[in-house]
Amino acid sequence: MGTNSLANQLLIAMPALADGHFAQTVSLICEHSDRGALGIVLNKPLGMKLGEVMAQMKLDPSDNRVSEQAVLRGGPVHTDRGFVLHRPGGAWDSTHKISDSVQVTTSRDVLAAIARGAGPADAFVALGYANWDAGQLEQEMLDNAWLSLPIDDRIVFELPFEDRWQAAWQLIGVDSSRVSLTAGHA
C-alpha cells in the first residue's frame, strides 16, 4: 500500500456524478494500490432482505431481526458475491482488516454465525463491489467525480443507509447543494 493509498477511506460521490450505480453514494475503499482499487458502497439497499440470502445458502436465522436486515448493493461487479462488513471480533475463514474498527469477511462461516445469533457486532451484508483499474480512481477524482475522507465508524455502522451520503458531507462541514458541479485545478 503506497503513501497515496485511499484504503480505509470513505469515497463520497460528488453531486454532479450521475452514474446510476454511484450517484449519491458513500463507499468504503477496502483496497487501493498501483493495480487499482476495490470499494463497497455503504448506502444503497437492494430490494432484498438478509433472510433471502440466508435461505439461498440453506441457513435458518434464529432471530427475525436478522431476517429483516436490508442487504446492500455493494457495487456493480460480481453482484453474486457477498461481503460482510463488521466490527472486529471472531475468527472467520476469510477476513480482511480494513482498519482497527472495520473488517470485511467473505466466507460462509460468518453468515452462519450471524444466522445463529453469534456473529460479529454491527454487521451488514453487501452483494457486489466497485472496482477501478490502475489509475482510474485517481483520474475520476481529478475529474471531480469523488471526494475522499477518513473513515468514520458512525457512518459505516450507526446511521440509517439513506442518511449516510449527506452525513459524509457534514463531516467535512460542506452543504452538498452548494458544491460546484465543475472541478477547478490550480
Side-chain angles (χ1 to χ4, degrees), residues 109-127:
D109 60 341
V110 72
L111 284 173
I114 291 170
R116 59 177 191 275
D122 296 323
F124 61 88
V125 174
L127 295 179

